[in-house]
């Protein structure tokens, strides 16, 4: 048995919640998990009962002499500092000693074994995030091929550290071998329905790193606003943002977000969704959207991007050339969801074009025509692309390496879709069960937790096409005031599903660890909401 | 028509929310309300189209020479400062002038007409909150009988002030005559399922004042924890709180909360719920709870307060004597809800007592016996009491001035209960439709808003027995991390129902004002969540 970890919450008494809702609250049991507060659970972990102490005054995180990374590796240097702060930031300067009784871990050596540690690289879907961690006295060793694994291992190490009854930091003798189950573990934030200040985005990138997420899917623009400031087309945000100064992301803001994410092993995949969801684009780019007709004359309103004009594709070429330079990730998300044909149908020029192309009255062919041209444009920038499932459903010809994001339907529907997409040979990620903007009363993290991207009928080859999943927090009812508690710790449930082994499904064990993990996030300054009745030793200090 | 107020949000485009949920979002129309951003709507208000300017450098809030209150009235002095800050806190030091073009309001005179302004009094259910406000140049006049009306009028005045396109503060010529529809307008916060730091309580008292609430119902202890530090019985929190130092309210904390509330015209009604919901009491007060039996011997677990022992009533006498001294309000809430009879039934001593009293096997008689004695104890402290509806339902003999809180059931059920309680001649407040801890996806504020405490079949006399209502935010899933955005602006919907005239039910008008009101709360530093897509000029700066 290991020492009882005491990082966070203890639930004392589980009782009714003012009667009438009792039946709805099906609360898991709290157990003394052998995995303490680890989240997401590593692939292999043995924690012994032998405790060592850690002193704030002498403990160091250092580069192993054999490491290919050294003090020039800013990414690791900053991570060392960050994790030291997480582990000791709340202690008094004078560390307590349990001298003589327990041994001490005085050093964590970080050893990068690959010749290129990738200190200055951007993470990608093929980045190696595996690591091994051996905690022993006097030295703990964290070994990884690349810095990405080292980042994950530092998080794990920090989660192994606990506070004993006297406030002293301790860690047990432990061996961890770890790697992610899925390569793509993302969170979608929507900065178009509401503007999210950079501060909020960064806080959530921090939270993502604490949960070993590695993709920030930035749904940056939509019908409602266009906060992305484009150097090539400044009118897009000048006229399409909620406010052209206070509610935009400047090029330097975007750079800061990307670098902040990079140093936490997180990719930034930008989404510029077309041809639908583009009302805000139309404000700053005359002629881009389709004029809708009421009878014989334009109604003054506009529909999706106008797919029949050369100017549209000239604009898109230049725009996506810029985007592909601004966002270093190998993928761009091109959207392609929810195209409403009503306006296209009303427009006589579109009708003529349909006739000329032989599309008849099948407007999904027109949609495919448009998307095909956009895909070609983006492919010419040497980027890969992600698309929403409609692009696949509508049988648009897509590159073999296209990543199809499944978001529609209930369990049965999305499992069919995952089977169909992978049977067609495409890579896919799952989002349907993880629309975290949808809220309900009670412990909804459990069903979030139990959904699995592999739970569909398919061959081993098909299962290999599942690259991961994304939790989505659409912004209709979310802004800086409530985003973080709404997302965390519910997104933590998705994080474990995507990182840990498929067999990790014990709800009681998960609950017991997650309570402590959420208190750890609170202690690190994030307003992660409670799962149920109880408390954290260190409650949230903000408002 | 009045000048378009520009305090807060503008919704530019209302569109779908990623498809599958579109049908669920029934969004009201945004109109240019003739009442600007006023919330809750005053009983009578005429806003003319004539704008005056306000200068940060010269505008003053002063006591009228005829006022019975003067600079010695701390309550008003602090309110003047608070509202000046709300109105000008976000402007640059040098006020903009639209010199020559518009006249200026340079002074708000506050005139208290009653001989006793009640500067140092505590608010009560009979406090006079009425006021009249005349905004003209160069002087605006706020007239009220008591300071309580002045506080409400200052809030209204501050809501009339708006920022023009140049950032200059303006206010239109206006006449307001206002008073509350209901005398008891409360919010219940639960500090037992989770501990709420004083900072969070105070922020929500501020929000309450912005919404003209006047009762903080402090559900301070429950099964899960006993954070109230009792000087008479220190073991109650020492052993019953989540933590005896970090998760308690000391006597000085309680005093601070009460004074903070008082100076905002808010009563603090404490609830010490018995005989159920008392598990945490049992930890620090041996012998208080009923020992449960498994067969012939005690099982080691405990049930509700033991109603058959003299020591129970000796303890309660002393405890409620202390409570009645600590909390100055004329009412104490005694709970009385959800008593589980299982443990009582298992205990042979209880069975003997039941026989001796001739209660047979009707344990509700035993409950009534207990409650009766508690009511008598509290009545002897000269306090009135509030109780949950079960006490009435179980036909306990209660004083004629008892306030019965209706919390159970759907619309039909609670309307029947309101009719029954008032037909029996008791005063009542409604909470059933306002359990704001219950959350769902979308715009649930609308049904919250449309519920009305008078919508039951009853005589005029019965309707007069309805003293008001309370929004309840039970704490099972709420703590410092998410309380404020979950409560606001949803509790604002209840606030208008309880303050404004019964005829104020236009959802479009309410929505248009509420969007601006929520942005005002955000600008004043409160993380009040968004109602739908859009933005505030001044977004939330916290995390």
């Amino acid at each position: 048995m290991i020492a009882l970890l005491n990082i966070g919450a203890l639930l004392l008494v589980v009782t009714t919640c003012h009667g009438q809702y009792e039946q709805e609250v099906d609360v898991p049991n709290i157990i003394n998990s052998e995995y303490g507060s680890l989240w997401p659970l590593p692939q292999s972990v043995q924690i012994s009962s032998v405790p060592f102490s850690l002193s704030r005054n002498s403990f160091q995180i250092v580069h192993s002499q054999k490491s290919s990374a050294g003090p020039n590796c800013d990414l690791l240097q900053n991570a060392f500092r960050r994790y030291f702060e997480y582990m000791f930031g709340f202690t008094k300067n004078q560390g307590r000693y349990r001298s003589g009784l327990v041994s001490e871990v005085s050093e964590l050596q970080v050893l990068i074994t690959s010749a290129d540690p990738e200190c200055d690289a951007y993470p990608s879907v093929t980045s190696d995030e595996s690591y091994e961690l051996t905690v022993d006295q006097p030295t703990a060793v964290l070994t990884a091929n690349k810095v990405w694994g080292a980042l994950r291992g530092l998080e794990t190490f920090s989660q192994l550290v606990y506070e004993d009854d006297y406030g002293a930091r301790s860690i047990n003798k432990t061996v961890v071998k770890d790697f992610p189950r899925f390569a793509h573990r993302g969170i979608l934030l929507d900065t178009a329905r509401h503007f999210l200040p950079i501060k909020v985005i960064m806080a959530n990138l921090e939270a993502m790193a604490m949960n070993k997420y590695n993709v920030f899917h930035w749904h940056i623009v939509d019908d409602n606003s266009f906060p992305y400031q484009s150097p090539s087309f400044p009118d897009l945000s000048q006229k399409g943002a909620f406010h052209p100064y206070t509610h935009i992301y400047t090029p330097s803001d975007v750079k800061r977000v990307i670098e902040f994410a990079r140093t936490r092993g997180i990719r930034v995949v930008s989404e510029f969704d077309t041809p639908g969801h583009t009302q805000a684009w139309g404000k700053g780019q005359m002629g881009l959207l389709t004029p809708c007709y009421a009878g014989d004359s334009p109604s003054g309103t506009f529909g999706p991007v106008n797919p029949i004009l050369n100017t549209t594709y000239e604009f898109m070429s230049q725009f996506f050339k810029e985007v592909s330079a601004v966002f270093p990730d190998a993928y761009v998300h091109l959207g392609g969801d929810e195209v409403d044909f009503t306006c296209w149908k009303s427009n006589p020029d579109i009708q003529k074009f349909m006739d000329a192309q032989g599309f008849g009255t099948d407007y999904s062919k027109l949609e495919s025509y448009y998307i095909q041209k956009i895909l070609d444009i983006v492919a010419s920038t040497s980027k890969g692309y992600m698309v929403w499932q409609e692009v696949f459903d509508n049988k648009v010809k897509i590159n073999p390496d296209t990543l199809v994001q499944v978001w529609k339907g209930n369990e049965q529907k999305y499992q069919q879709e995952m089977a169909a997409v992978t049977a067609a040979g495409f890579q896919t990620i799952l989002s349907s069960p993880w629309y975290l903007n949808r809220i309900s009363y009670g412990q909804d993290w459990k069903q979030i937790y139990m959904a699995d991207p592999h739970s569909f009928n398919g061959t081993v080859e098909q299962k290999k096409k599942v690259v991961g999943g994304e939790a989505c927090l659409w912004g209709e009812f979310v802004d800086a005031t409530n985003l973080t508690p709404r997302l965390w710790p519910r997104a933590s449930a998705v994080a474990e599903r995507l990182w840990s082994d498929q067999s990790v499904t014990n709800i009681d064990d998960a609950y017991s660890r997650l309570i402590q993990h959420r208190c750890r996030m609170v202690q690190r300054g994030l307003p992660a909401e409670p799962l149920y009745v109880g408390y954290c030793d260190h409650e949230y200090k903000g408002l």
Side-chain angles (χ1 to χ4, degrees), chain A:
Chain A
M1 284 301 303
I2 61 158
L4 176 62
L5 301 193
N6 186 26
I7 286 167
L10 289 171
L11 253 77
L12 299 183
V13 183
V14 174
T15 71
T16 71
C17 47
H18 214 56
Q20 67 199 92
Y21 310 123
E22 186 179 4
Q23 68 286 358
E24 300 173 23
V25 181
D26 179 15
V27 183
N29 298 306
I30 297 181
I31 62 173
N32 187 9
S33 171
E34 63 177 304
Y35 305 115
S37 68
L38 287 174
W39 194 278
L41 194 65
Q43 298 285 341
S44 157
V45 52
Q46 287 118 34
I47 306 179
S48 90
S49 60
V50 181
F52 306 129
S53 59
L54 293 159
S55 158
R56 180 191 170 87
N57 294 336
S58 56
F59 179 76
Q60 293 186 76
I61 310 177
V62 298
H63 299 282
S64 163
Q65 291 193 341
K66 291 171 278 179
S67 181
S68 61
N72 286 334
C73 184
D74 256 10
L75 182 145
L76 284 184
Q77 294 293 110
N78 282 321
F80 293 175
R81 190 169 59 173
R82 192 163 67 246
Y83 281 101
F84 185 89
E85 183 69 18
Y86 284 158
M87 293 184 279
F88 296 100
F90 313 97
T91 56
K92 303 279 180 216
N93 222 331
Q94 203 170 356
R96 262 192 88 92
Y97 260 73
R98 294 179 293 181
S99 58
L101 291 177
V102 288
S103 306
E104 189 175 335
V105 177
S106 58
E107 204 171 75
L108 171 62
Q109 291 185 358
V110 178
L111 167 61
I112 308 295
T113 53
S114 167
D116 177 7
E118 301 186 0
C119 287
D120 301 313
Y122 288 96
S124 79
V125 73
T126 58
S127 289
D128 185 348
E129 296 174 285
S130 65
Y131 68 93
E132 295 187 15
L133 178 62
T134 310
V135 179
D136 209 335
Q137 58 87 17
T139 301
V141 179
L142 169 59
T143 309
N145 278 323
K146 306 285 183 183
V147 292
W148 317 117
L151 289 172
R152 305 298 168 236
L154 283 165
E155 177 62 37
T156 300
F157 184 86
S158 76
Q159 294 188 0
L160 288 167
V161 174
Y162 59 97
E163 208 174 312
D164 72 11
D165 277 355
Y166 301 91
R169 292 299 181 276
S170 305
I171 190 167
N172 285 31
K173 188 171 158 76
T174 299
V175 178
V176 174
K177 295 186 185 187
D178 202 11
F179 55 88
R181 177 177 169 210
F182 292 108
H184 185 119
R185 307 179 308 279
I187 286 188
L188 177 150
L189 297 182
D190 167 4
T191 58
R193 270 65 176 231
H194 287 97
F195 179 78
L196 298 176
I198 292 288
K199 178 181 177 178
V200 171
I201 293 176
M202 290 189 170
N204 281 280
L205 288 167
E206 292 273 27
M208 286 172 67
M210 294 174 201
N211 289 273
K212 298 189 167 71
Y213 272 104
N214 67 354
V215 179
F216 168 35
H217 176 163
W218 194 350
H219 187 88
I220 191 167
V221 302
D222 206 294
D223 281 327
N224 314 90
S225 72
F226 198 103
Y228 169 78
Q229 192 180 43
S230 162
S232 314
F233 301 99
D235 273 357
L236 288 171
S237 61
Q238 185 68 30
K239 298 181 178 169
F242 285 133
H243 190 281
Y245 295 111
T246 59
H247 289 68
I248 62 165
Y249 304 105
T250 65
S252 97
D253 289 337
V254 172
K255 272 203 192 109
R256 278 168 61 212
V257 168
I258 292 169
E259 180 62 8
F260 194 90
R262 186 188 77 80
T263 55
R264 284 151 185 82
I266 298 170
R267 302 160 52 198
V268 178
V269 176
S270 61
E271 177 181 355
F272 289 90
D273 189 359
T274 68
H277 290 277
T278 49
Q279 290 293 309
W281 301 53
K283 294 182 181 165
Q285 186 64 19
M286 289 302 115
L288 180 66
L289 303 186
T290 308
C292 312
Y293 276 66
D296 289 340
S297 51
S299 66
T301 63
F302 295 89
V305 167
N306 193 331
I308 68 171
L309 302 179
N310 288 336
T311 50
T312 291
Y313 301 104
E314 286 158 13
F315 165 80
M316 289 294 175
S317 292
Q318 202 176 337
F319 183 76
F320 278 107
K321 196 172 161 197
E322 174 190 310
V323 164
S324 69
V326 167
F327 293 90
D329 197 78
Y331 282 79
V332 178
H333 199 304
L334 299 175
D337 58 320
E338 302 183 317
V339 182
D340 182 352
F341 297 147
T342 318
C343 181
W344 279 352
K345 286 178 185 171
S346 77
N347 182 305
D349 296 330
I350 302 266
Q351 287 161 20
K352 267 180 235 156
F353 186 84
M354 294 278 290
D355 290 342
Q357 295 283 333
F359 292 164
T361 56
D362 184 353
Y363 286 83
S364 72
K365 286 189 176 154
L366 181 60
E367 180 183 355
S368 298
Y369 171 89
Y370 168 82
I371 301 253
Q372 197 64 64
K373 295 187 76 110
I374 294 297
L375 297 187
D376 293 344
I377 284 169
V378 172
S380 77
T381 67
S382 306
K383 295 279 184 185
Y385 38 78
M386 291 176 65
V387 290
W388 295 106
Q389 71 177 74
E390 286 96 321
V391 175
F392 169 81
D393 295 345
N394 291 338
K395 303 185 173 47
V396 179
K397 197 181 121 210
I398 47 183
N399 279 345
D401 65 341
T402 300
L403 192 49
V404 178
Q405 185 161 13
V406 173
W407 68 276
K408 283 184 163 187
N410 59 20
E411 192 170 346
Q412 196 193 351
K413 283 271 176 58
Y414 73 68
Q415 288 178 355
Q416 286 169 2
E417 182 80 6
M418 296 289 282
V421 171
T422 53
F426 295 107
Q427 298 186 96
T428 183
I429 59 170
L430 178 64
S431 285
S432 303
W434 297 322
Y435 265 43
L436 301 190
N437 50 304
R438 309 267 313 158
I439 53 170
S440 58
Y441 193 60
Q443 297 218 347
D444 64 357
W445 72 273
K446 289 183 292 181
Q447 65 201 60
I448 294 168
Y449 184 74
M450 294 311 290
D452 194 298
H454 274 167
S455 68
F456 63 87
N457 285 327
T459 63
V460 173
E461 276 310 302
Q462 276 177 278
K463 299 293 168 83
K464 282 185 187 160
K465 294 289 184 183
V466 180
V467 189
E470 282 188 2
C472 299
L473 195 73
W474 294 99
E476 282 81 0
F477 302 102
V478 167
D479 71 1
T481 62
N482 62 347
L483 183 144
T484 310
R486 193 160 289 195
L487 187 55
W488 307 102
R490 292 161 78 233
S492 301
V494 183
E496 178 151 299
R497 183 58 48 232
L498 295 174
W499 179 279
S500 306
D501 190 75
Q502 186 165 13
S503 64
V504 178
T505 54
N506 182 321
I507 282 280
D508 290 342
D509 189 76
Y511 186 53
S512 310
R513 287 181 288 114
L514 188 53
I515 287 170
Q516 298 178 69
H517 180 55
R518 103 90 188 173
C519 281
R520 178 169 46 228
M521 289 193 278
V522 167
Q523 185 168 18
R524 292 178 181 184
L526 287 163
E529 70 180 16
L531 292 159
Y532 196 52
V533 175
Y535 72 104
C536 298
D537 286 343
H538 305 277
E539 300 285 3
Y540 185 57
K541 298 273 186 283
L543 183 61

